[in-house]
Amino acid sequence: MQKVLLVGATGETGKSIYDGLVEEGGYEIELLVRPSSAEKPAVKTLEAKGHKLVVADIDAGIDPLVPLLKGFDTIISAIQPGSQLSQLNLVDAARSAGVKRFVPCGFASISPRGGIMRLRDQKEEVHDHIFRAHLPYTIIDVGTWFQISFPSLPSGRVDYASFVAGNFTIHADGKAPKILTDLRDIGRFVAKIVKDERTLNKRVYTAGDVLSEDEIFQMMEKASGEEIPRKQVSREQIKKDADEALAAFDKGARDQVAMMRLYRSQYNYSKYVRIDNTPEFAEYLGYLDARKLYPGFQPRTFREYVEELLTGKGIKPYAQGRE
Ligand SMILES: NC(=O)c1ccc[n+]([C@@H]2O[C@H](COP(=O)([O-])OP(=O)(O)OC[C@H]3O[C@@H](n4cnc5c(N)ncnc54)[C@H](OP(=O)(O)O)[C@@H]3O)[C@@H](O)[C@H]2O)c1
């Protein structure tokens, strides 16, 4: 039985990972929660399923964390985007506690470091800290969730599951292929990856599909019988949006809205102008392809998700809101 400490189990990615570990079996799962969240109903529900809580403020220093992390084989972090650097303490404490594999909070689209995406740069800062510590690791990225990758329909039929309703945007020429994973399959992949010796000290990417926006629009049109208007945004505008969001952020706009604007615009620049989020680029960066590692595992396809959407079974991310 592999003993896993999961950070962020009540979040979108963390819930998928929790479900995946449970479905796979063979894991003893404990949950790291911050003191201010220990009494939340979502935490209590998980505790009631028999999981021990490790209540800890990871920002409060390394020493108090070390005894709490002793005995874990694996730590998986699915911490919120804005708290990536809080993982630096966890890395140091995990090293001192003798943790055998640390999975930092990746779970993002593929992109290189270095001024393209602030969020990527923070994740890579955590990776560099892992490397400096000689801590065994696996970095897992997933492309973009199916659940935030479909346009609206003129009838409004899928708005119930849309992160942004009324979205008819096509970026650039709409032809950039992108890696996509169903949010629910992230955990199912993770559960295979973290017990696989081949993935130790490696980067791995998951995918359920690789599609362009053009292909997604056409798939939605065919399945729904509706014609979707296209609101084309030029490459120049995508770049301008990213530059402006970064300038506002650097001038001190750091609230949730400003952060989301920065992340979204920089993701768009990376995915649709630079065309970073592709299998070819992932492999160039040294990632292993989880589809090749686990040929017997069939992740959900985007077409299947479209069917779910059209039959009212889509899932709206962050339906409970985000803190
Ligand atoms: N590929 C994609 O399309 C995509 C989309 C969205 C996000 N992501 C990535 O997924 C990752 C996770 O994001 P998410 O949106 O899934 O997260 P989320 O839903 O916002 O959940 C974050 C989790 O982290 C916990 N948390 C926050 N601060 C903590 C702390 N100091 N100590 C312990 N736990 C803490 C939260 O618990 P409490 O708040 O209850 O304490 C919550 O369980 C991010 O790195 C992001 O880049 C990828």
Side-chain angles (χ1 to χ4, degrees):
M1 189 68 96
Q2 188 181 137
K3 200 169 165 196
V4 173
L5 180 64
L6 178 58
V7 184
T10 57
E12 294 290 327
T13 307
K15 181 179 181 315
S16 172
I17 295 170
Y18 172 81
D19 290 343
L21 293 173
V22 170
E23 181 184 313
E24 184 77 15
Y27 293 104
E28 182 185 337
I29 308 164
E30 297 192 16
L31 312 167
L32 189 148
V33 296
R34 44 183 165 181
S36 57
S37 298
E39 298 304 319
K40 283 186 179 173
V43 172
K44 289 281 161 203
T45 302
L46 289 168
E47 195 180 17
K49 289 182 178 170
H51 302 289
K52 278 195 208 146
L53 300 185
V54 174
V55 179
D57 177 1
I58 59 174
D59 294 313
I62 299 158
D63 292 345
L65 282 175
V66 177
L68 300 176
L69 303 190
K70 282 222 160 91
F72 285 102
D73 299 299
T74 305
I75 295 179
I76 305 174
S77 169
I79 200 164
Q80 65 197 15
S83 300
Q84 297 302 300
L85 299 183
S86 296
Q87 296 175 99
L88 298 176
N89 284 344
L90 264 184
V91 168
D92 288 325
R95 175 68 191 169
S96 297
V99 169
K100 298 190 191 101
R101 185 186 314 233
F102 188 90
V103 180
C105 184
F107 311 112
S109 66
I110 307 297
S111 63
R113 74 174 75 212
I116 296 158
M117 286 181 49
R118 187 61 60 93
L119 184 54
R120 166 59 59 188
D121 287 347
Q122 290 185 344
K123 288 178 191 286
E124 295 295 338
E125 204 172 322
V126 175
H127 302 163
D128 288 343
H129 204 61
I130 290 171
F131 305 151
R132 282 191 293 270
H134 291 215
L135 180 64
Y137 70 92
T138 304
I139 294 162
I140 305 173
D141 281 311
V142 301
T144 309
W145 302 345
F146 288 2
Q147 283 75 5
I148 56 170
S149 300
F150 60 90
S152 301
L153 292 173
S155 63
R157 208 169 140 195
V158 296
D159 285 356
Y160 74 95
S162 295
F163 188 48
V164 184
N167 167 32
F168 300 108
T169 304
I170 282 249
H171 297 88
D173 62 1
K175 304 259 185 259
K178 56 180 175 180
I179 296 171
L180 297 152
T181 302
D182 190 303
L183 174 56
R184 295 164 294 176
D185 284 339
I186 293 175
R188 300 170 80 207
F189 272 118
V190 168
K192 299 193 183 310
I193 291 167
V194 298
K195 64 178 184 188
D196 185 344
E197 283 303 308
R198 295 173 299 171
T199 63
L200 196 60
N201 304 330
K202 298 280 192 287
R203 291 177 188 251
V204 184
Y205 77 94
T206 72
D209 243 320
V210 179
L211 292 168
S212 68
E213 286 185 315
D214 228 17
E215 289 169 320
I216 289 173
F217 271 59
Q218 284 175 35
M219 194 184 284
M220 291 278 292
E221 286 181 328
K222 202 167 168 213
S224 67
E226 295 187 39
E227 192 177 329
I228 309 175
R230 272 114 168 116
K231 189 176 155 229
Q232 206 100 19
V233 180
S234 69
R235 293 162 64 91
E236 294 70 31
Q237 187 62 45
I238 296 166
K239 173 86 170 76
K240 190 164 172 273
D241 289 346
D243 289 346
E244 287 175 1
L246 181 60
F249 188 80
D250 283 343
K251 268 195 209 136
R254 300 282 163 93
D255 58 19
Q256 189 74 7
V257 174
M259 275 171 58
M260 289 309 292
R261 180 182 168 210
L262 179 67
Y263 296 154
R264 194 171 46 242
S265 62
Q266 291 190 327
Y267 269 125
N268 287 340
Y269 176 62
S270 169
K271 285 191 283 197
Y272 305 117
V273 178
R274 292 182 41 81
I275 317 189
D276 289 327
N277 185 33
T278 68
E280 293 72 23
F281 192 60
E283 283 166 40
Y284 167 84
L285 290 176
Y287 283 77
L288 304 176
D289 179 347
R291 295 169 300 178
K292 291 183 188 154
L293 290 171
Y294 315 111
F297 171 63
Q298 191 58 60
R300 293 168 174 91
T301 64
F302 199 81
R303 194 177 297 279
E304 286 165 347
Y305 189 61
V306 169
E307 286 304 321
E308 288 185 281
L309 269 177
L310 294 174
T311 49
K313 296 185 196 130
I315 301 157
K316 181 173 182 160
Y318 309 109
Q320 313 301 321
R322 189 179 207 167
E323 284 169 38

